[in-house]
Every structure is written in C-alpha cells, then in structure tokens.
Amino acid sequence: MVPYILAIDAGTTSSRAIVFDKDTKKIGLGQFEFSQYFPKNSWVEHDPNEIWASQQKAISSALKAAKINSNEVSAIGITNQRETTIVWDRRSGEPIYNAIVWQDRRTSDYCSSFSEASINQVAKKTGLIVDAYFSASKIRWILQHVEGAQDRAIRGELCFGTVDSWLIHKLTGGSKHITDASNASRTMLYNIHSGTWDKRLCDLFNIPISILPEVVNSSGYLASTDQEVFGAKIPISGIAGDQQSALFGQLCFSSGEAKNTYGTGCFAMTNTGNHIVVSSNKMLSTVAWQLNGIRTYALEGSVYVAGSLIQWLRDGLGFFDHSADVEQLALKEGTSGGITIVPALTGLGAPHWDSYARGAIMGITRGTNTSHIAYASLEAIALSTADVLEAMAKDLGQPLKSIRVDGGASTNDTLMQIQSDLLNCPVIRPLETESTALGAALLAGLGIGIWKSIGELKDLAVIDQKFSPKNGSFASLRNQWNKGIQSTKGWAEPGNYE
Ligand code: ADP
C-alpha cells in the first residue's frame, strides 16, 4: 500500500489538512476558516465545536483532493495553535466555555501580580516567563468564571486540553485525553526537566491536577481514530505544537539550527539538543519534541504581531485587498521615509515582554505616504525578529550561522532581504514552506516506521531561495527602533482587561 500521511494543522485562523505522500509531496489540501470572537478589548476566543467542525471539513476536502478514502491513510499527525485553552465536560465532551486563544490578554493583570519568588519558581521548572500567553492563567480564569467549574474540576468531571488534545478527544470518539510533551511545555504547569505535571505549580494556579491530559511522546503509536468518526481506525502517530512542528519540518534536528516562522506572529526557535539553555535574555526554554521518552529542547522567542500587522494595513487601513500586495506597495518608494512602526498592537512579546505596550507610527512628516508605511511595516517585522534572534544568539554564546524561514509572510522577498541584511546572516527559504504541517507528517511517518530514523529525513530538504546579507549600515534604523520600543512600553492603563 502507498503510504499517505494526513497532517492536521489546526491554526489560529483556519483549520487545515494536508495529505502528503512518502516523498513528502503535497497531494491534497483542505482549509476552512473559523470565527474569531473578540468579546472585550484584548479578549480572543474560538468556539471549540466550530474548530472541530471546520477541521472535519478540511480533512474531507484534503482526502477528496488527494483522491483517497480515509481507510487509505497510513498515519495522522496533528499540529496545532499552542497554549489556546479548552475545558470540556469529561462525560458529555461539551466545552464549558469558548477556547481562550493564545493572543488573549484578559489574565494580564493577574499575571503581573506574581511575586518574584513565584516568577522564579515558574521559570526554573517550566522554562517560561509568567505571562497571560500560556495556558495556566487561562484555565484558572475559566474555572473561576464559569459557575461551578472549580468544584466540578475538583470532582474530576472536567478535562483541560490544548487544541491537539481537543481534536484527539474528538477523533478518538472521546476515548483519549492526551497531549504531547511539546504542547504540555506551553501550559506553564509542566516541569520540562522531569517531564511531568508539577503539583506545586498546579496549586499556585489553583488548578486540580486531575484536569490535565496524559503527556505522551511526539511520535509513535499514540492513539487510534474512531471508526464511526473518521470512517476507519487509523493511528495518530505524531503530535507537536505548531512551532515545534515547524522546527521539525525544517529539519532542524541538531543543536544550533534555527527557524523563524512568519505567520500571524513571528516565532523563532533554535534547537538546543538535550540541554535546557537558561536564557539571560528573556527567551523561553521549551520542549521541541519527545521521541522514545527523550526530550529535545529549544530556545524560543515569539513576536505577537507580524503578518497581522499586514492584515491591519489591509483591513484596518484599507491599503490593499490581499496581504501579498504589501510588497508592491512597499516597493513604490522602496524606503520607510524615516518612519518607524512599533507593531505592539497586542503588547510586546520577547525579548521586551510588556503586555501594556501598544502600537505606534513615529516620525511622520507631510511627505509620509502609504508606501512608506508599507515598507516600514516590513521593517518592523524584520526588526522584531532581529531582536529575538540576536537575544537567542547571546544565550547560545555564538552568532546564528543561518536561519530557515517559513509561514505566509516568508514568501515576501523584500521582507526576507531586509531580514538577512539586519541579521547579517543568510536566510534560507525551503521550497516547501508548509513546514508546520510537514513536521506533523514527518513525526507521524516516523512514528509508524515509514521513515526509520531522523537521519533518513535529512535527505528530504529542498531549498527554494537563499537571501544573503548586503553590506549597509542599519545603525540609525536600529536606534530609532529602540527609541520607538521604549516609548510604547506601558502605554495601556492597567485594569482595562477584566
Ligand atoms: P497563520 O498560520 O498564523 O494563520 P500564515 O502562515 O498562514 O499565518 O500567514 C498568514 C499571515 O501572513 C497573514 O497575517 C498575512 O497578512 C501575512 N502575509 C501573507 N502573505 C504575505 C506577504 N506576501 N507579505 C507579508 N505578509 C504576508
């Protein structure tokens, strides 16, 4: 039988499914957007049932496009938006509240109230910085705000899961409550040293440990789909959070290899092998994946707003109809005209970490036009990324040799060239920029023995384009950027989140 692998890519704005063959050729794709709910300022929610329904449609479309039936799928890999928090009733499988999305800042004030000792405890055990981004404070919020939820959780009647867990719960007909180590490491409740849920952290957030899923490897026979639900009993043999999956899909298997994904946000990750590198530069340490019980770690830095800045130019300011048009508009002038955009639309992530920062366009003159704003937006994405990658390089004690890129905005050549210039290192874009889905497919294929080892996967790399740094001085650009960052910090007034 020809091995087909189905990658389920549960993103932030859409549910996707891709069928790959053994040569990692994409032979079928399905994609459906789902609703984004913004009930209050800085709140972002999804309907878990809509995530599932759109995912089912995406799977059907992908199989149809690939001209195969569900029983011809050899393995399923799942990759997902991380940290997004769903709590459901163990018996009925019904969510008790909408999914609270990773972008949601409602628990910012709570997270800022942590003592130094607690912040240190969290960092030491989880590799994370106390922030509203991660699942723990979101779970706590649901348990506190949905009537009776805390008591039901104590009685063991509720399940928490990130989107991978939720989809596996659905795909297995409710029989499995699992997550992989990479997703677990984003909850702020998982001890990345011991590879176990941490009771003391659960107590700190007042979360009963029984609500948490079993943590499994990222590859191997992890679960089977339910015949009734999927139409066949197929192994789910790969699970990883989207960024970790992209690192795997970019074949960054060795320590020091780095990737940056340019999607809604930017997510940079560097493989640190079996070592947990403790950052002195506000990067996160996280689990990249766990194979045969052995964890590989990574350093990570996230920028909350990247491609979504381009969406804002498109939808908020009406500059163009399609995100890809930003490049043409930017190249009309080919310069920012001296303006600086700080894309802190939902606060600042790594390495600045300020929930209260808000966006700004600075240095506007009578000559400033839409092309300058478009160009400065591309610079803003590249500058945000440069801050993160340079902080990471400091932690690693060596400059990055190159970065591999993917994600929707990585198709923008101008952005990639600016990035290479700013970092003064080559930027490598693979032919297959679907690294996230590919990573899940590779984990799944590895899990059932389609590929025997990671070494075998190395041969699959195909490069599309390499951007090399041009000489130039970026001192004044960096200087204005730094001034811009400083002045946007602390802009929003605390107390506006509840
Ligand atoms: P996600 O997985 O986070 O939903 P994608 O990887 O699909 O994101 O990328 C989509 C994002 O990339 C959108 O925010 C969009 O505005 C941006 N984008 C898409 N094409 C381009 C482009 N050519 N230049 C800049 N940004 C782009």
Side-chain angles (χ1 to χ4, degrees), residues 129 131 266 268 279-284 300-304 347-355 381-395 478 481-482 485-486 489:
I129 286 164
D131 191 86
C266 261
S279 176
S280 317
N281 295 287
K282 300 193 175 170
M283 294 294 116
L284 308 175
E300 175 180 325
S302 321
V303 171
Y304 298 139
L348 286 170
H352 309 290
W353 294 105
D354 188 329
S355 297
I381 298 172
L383 283 157
S384 307
T385 300
D387 279 355
V388 169
L389 287 170
E390 285 168 1
M392 228 175 243
K394 268 193 212 153
D395 282 333
R478 292 308 271 277
W481 167 255
N482 290 334
I485 290 280
Q486 290 315 320
K489 281 187 178 171

Side-chain angles (χ1 to χ4, degrees), residues 141-156:
W141 191 94
I142 293 176
L143 296 186
Q144 286 198 338
H145 288 80
V146 175
E147 209 186 324
Q150 185 75 34
D151 289 340
R152 287 165 72 192
I154 292 168
R155 290 199 298 268

